[in-house]
Every structure is written in structure tokens, then in C-alpha cells.
Amino acid sequence: QGYPTSGVSTSTNKEVAIGYALSSLPTKQYVVMINREKAILFGIKEIVVKNALPLWAIQKPNDDEVILTSATGIFPKELIESYERLSS
């Protein structure tokens, strides 16, 4: 089965998301909480990596990665439940 080649990498684990955000440039250190149920209503598809690939093929299985894809390339702002600005 083929998967889209681009999307937004997300995690269901907030601590993982914080770790990735803190590894970004200081001006880009945000954690955004997305409503996955709303995403489906907007036609956003999700790929739960642990369900899509064999475990041996996943570099960081504890990341609980979910890739969100949009056929239009648009992710409506209504998906954002909240966000946090972090400082390292």
C-alpha cells in the first residue's frame, strides 16, 4: 500500500512533541494541540505510523507518530484546540 509522501508529522504524546519543539530554533518552539476528530470532518487523513508500518521499520516507535495529510494542502485553523510557546 502506498502512502502520501508529504504531511504533517504529529505525536499523540505531548512530551514527545515538546522534545521536538525544543530541538527547533528558539523562534519556532511551539506545541500545538490538534483536534483529530475535527480533522477527519475536514477531510484530513491520518496515518498512525505504528499501524501502517512493521515495528522494525519505525526508527522511533515511542514517538507515537501520526502523520496528517490533506489532499488540498490546507489545514484549517479550526483544528487547533490550543498552543503553547516554549522557551528552552
Side-chain angles (χ1 to χ4, degrees):
Q1 175 181 4
Y3 295 103
T5 57
S6 63
V8 176
S9 177
T10 68
S11 176
T12 59
N13 182 326
K14 186 175 178 181
E15 294 305 314
V16 169
I18 289 171
Y20 278 105
L22 290 174
S23 70
S24 299
L25 294 173
T27 57
K28 298 183 179 189
Q29 294 179 341
Y30 290 88
V31 173
V32 178
M33 275 47 97
I34 297 171
N35 184 318
R36 289 171 60 195
E37 291 176 8
K38 271 189 191 174
I40 293 167
L41 296 176
F42 280 99
I44 307 297
K45 304 228 182 291
E46 63 177 41
I47 301 165
V48 179
V49 173
K50 283 184 179 178
N51 297 340
L53 297 172
L55 192 55
W56 61 263
I58 303 171
Q59 289 183 344
K60 297 181 179 180
N62 293 332
D63 280 2
D64 297 321
E65 184 177 13
V66 178
I67 300 171
L68 302 178
T69 63
S70 168
T72 64
I74 296 171
F75 292 85
K77 65 182 177 185
E78 291 84 3
L79 302 181
I80 298 173
E81 293 285 307
S82 62
Y83 65 93
E84 288 178 46
R85 171 85 167 94
L86 307 175
S87 49
S88 54

